[in-house]
Amino acid sequence: MKIISPIKPHLILAALLLSLSQWTYAQRSPYEAYIDTYKSLAVEQMERYGIPASITLAQGLLESAAGQSELSRKANNHFGIKCGGSWQGPYVLRDDDARNEKFRAYSSPRESYEDHSVFLATRSRYAFLFKYKKSDYKAWAHGLKKAGYATNPRYAHLLIKLIHRYDLDRYDKMKLSDFPSLSGGLGEIADGLIVRRNNDNYYVVARSGDTFASIGREMGVSERKLRKYNEVDKHYRLQAGDIVYLEKKRSKADKAFKGKYHTVRPGESLYTIAQKYGIPLKTLYKNNGLTAGDAAFVGGRLKIR
């Protein structure tokens, strides 16, 4: 395990406060570049978990010093999340409230963003936050401080200041469909395909001209297994934008979706909805008392877990 050299948290905070108080273009540009890179990912997380995109971006900016901190650069940890008792993945050591504390290490920034959402959505002490409207970023900011996300007494103030300075609340009104594609750098690139994660499964998004055979060759997975993992027969032909899972899907959706519903949109089918949440089609049938051959109707509500 490669260990990150300890860094002084007060130095990062001092640098951050300096950049927040002096507004020249040179000082702001790392923040603007960070927002431009991760704004669509923050909106994606908002759609999936209900966390305001403005809050996610502000926390990312603050905790990672706009992607310049050593923790974010070397461990892809953009939100300062420590290991805790449940973490079984890699970690790095860093001085924080005590010496050599363990912080989670990720394979990509996208994995860090996903874990941040799951971290908030699955811990009881943050449950009250999800009663707030997504547009009420001030309540979210103060709520995060109240729940103990950070020890800095000015944490909520710093988040709100970032949201105001960079007009981050505009992303709370957006949808993922407003972006032609996810920003670059959010996943691991493998032979031109971006590998992402959903419900603890790895997947790629098919490009124009892709086939199960071509993706299989690039990713080292047989065409037969890809078709099996994605529940399609040998006659199905990929379309650009199709989700292609690289491993068997989990039998249930993420715990964050327990008791939650999906409203069917135009163009969606039961199959595409199952793919969206990374679950088998039979799970969606079971959760909603459906059988093979049933169809999704626009405006209908489907229980995810």
Side-chain angles (χ1 to χ4, degrees):
M1 175 65 63
K2 183 178 181 180
I3 305 300
I4 291 180
S5 300
I7 55 179
K8 302 297 185 182
H10 69 277
L11 296 180
I12 292 180
L13 179 59
L16 176 63
L17 293 176
L18 177 63
S19 64
L20 287 175
S21 62
Q22 300 179 20
W23 304 112
T24 66
Y25 176 79
Q27 289 166 322
R28 286 171 37 193
S29 59
Y31 288 79
E32 294 167 339
Y34 185 95
I35 293 165
D36 189 56
T37 299
Y38 299 112
K39 59 188 179 184
S40 58
L41 184 52
V43 172
E44 179 192 39
Q45 295 298 303
M46 178 174 66
E47 286 193 359
R48 294 187 60 197
Y49 295 96
I51 303 166
S54 60
I55 287 293
T56 298
L57 283 170
Q59 284 195 280
L61 284 165
L62 185 60
E63 298 290 346
S64 75
Q68 303 301 303
S69 73
E70 192 168 5
L71 187 60
S72 63
R73 288 186 292 106
K74 294 187 177 181
N76 287 314
N77 189 329
H78 284 238
F79 298 93
I81 299 180
K82 298 177 183 179
C83 287
S86 63
W87 182 250
Q88 300 297 318
Y91 63 88
V92 294
L93 300 180
R94 173 188 164 191
D95 288 355
D96 191 56
D97 298 323
R99 284 187 56 81
N100 288 335
E101 292 194 86
K102 294 180 179 180
F103 285 79
R104 300 182 181 188
Y106 306 100
S107 61
S108 67
R110 197 249 185 260
E111 187 177 329
S112 176
Y113 268 71
E114 177 74 13
D115 191 52
H116 169 261
S117 297
V118 172
F119 184 84
L120 294 182
T122 59
R123 281 161 174 74
S124 58
R125 63 174 170 154
Y126 298 114
F128 72 94
L129 293 172
F130 293 86
K131 297 179 182 179
Y132 299 140
K133 294 180 180 179
K134 289 186 290 186
S135 58
D136 195 353
Y137 60 84
K138 291 183 179 180
W140 275 82
H142 288 290
L144 283 166
K145 177 64 183 72
K146 179 180 178 181
Y149 190 95
T151 56
N152 187 332
R154 300 183 65 242
Y155 191 74
H157 171 75
L158 291 172
L159 291 181
I160 293 170
K161 190 170 185 178
L162 282 166
I163 291 170
H164 287 174
R165 169 52 54 181
Y166 295 105
D167 194 21
L168 299 182
D169 59 314
R170 69 185 186 271
Y171 299 114
D172 296 338
K173 306 177 183 69
M174 299 182 73
K175 298 178 180 179
L176 191 59
S177 58
D178 294 326
F179 300 92
S181 62
L182 287 175
S183 297
L186 304 183
E188 301 170 16
I189 306 299
D191 295 327
L193 285 167
I194 300 178
V195 181
R196 307 184 189 280
R197 293 190 72 187
N198 179 31
N199 196 23
D200 267 343
N201 291 316
Y202 288 101
Y203 75 95
V204 297
V205 177
R207 304 158 299 189
S208 178
D210 276 336
T211 65
F212 282 106
S214 67
I215 290 177
R217 286 192 297 270
E218 291 188 46
M219 305 308 303
V221 184
S222 72
E223 177 183 357
R224 181 184 63 81
K225 286 185 177 180
L226 287 180
R227 288 184 179 276
K228 182 179 180 180
Y229 297 154
N230 291 278
E231 304 178 90
V232 295
D233 61 28
K234 63 181 181 180
H235 302 293
Y236 183 84
R237 296 292 177 264
L238 281 176
Q239 303 293 320
D242 279 355
I243 292 173
V244 181
Y245 287 97
L246 305 177
E247 55 189 331
K248 184 179 179 180
K249 291 183 287 185
R250 302 295 186 270
S251 60
K252 295 181 180 180
D254 190 278
K255 292 180 180 178
F257 295 106
K258 187 174 182 179
K260 295 189 177 181
Y261 291 80
H262 174 92
T263 301
V264 181
R265 300 174 181 175
E268 289 185 322
S269 66
L270 291 173
Y271 175 73
T272 60
I273 293 169
Q275 289 291 89
K276 175 182 176 69
Y277 292 96
I279 56 176
L281 189 54
K282 66 180 182 181
T283 297
L284 196 60
Y285 287 150
K286 181 179 179 181
N287 291 346
N288 295 277
L290 303 172
T291 58
D294 288 340
F297 296 95
V298 175
R301 298 175 75 241
L302 296 171
K303 187 176 181 180
I304 302 304
R305 174 167 177 159

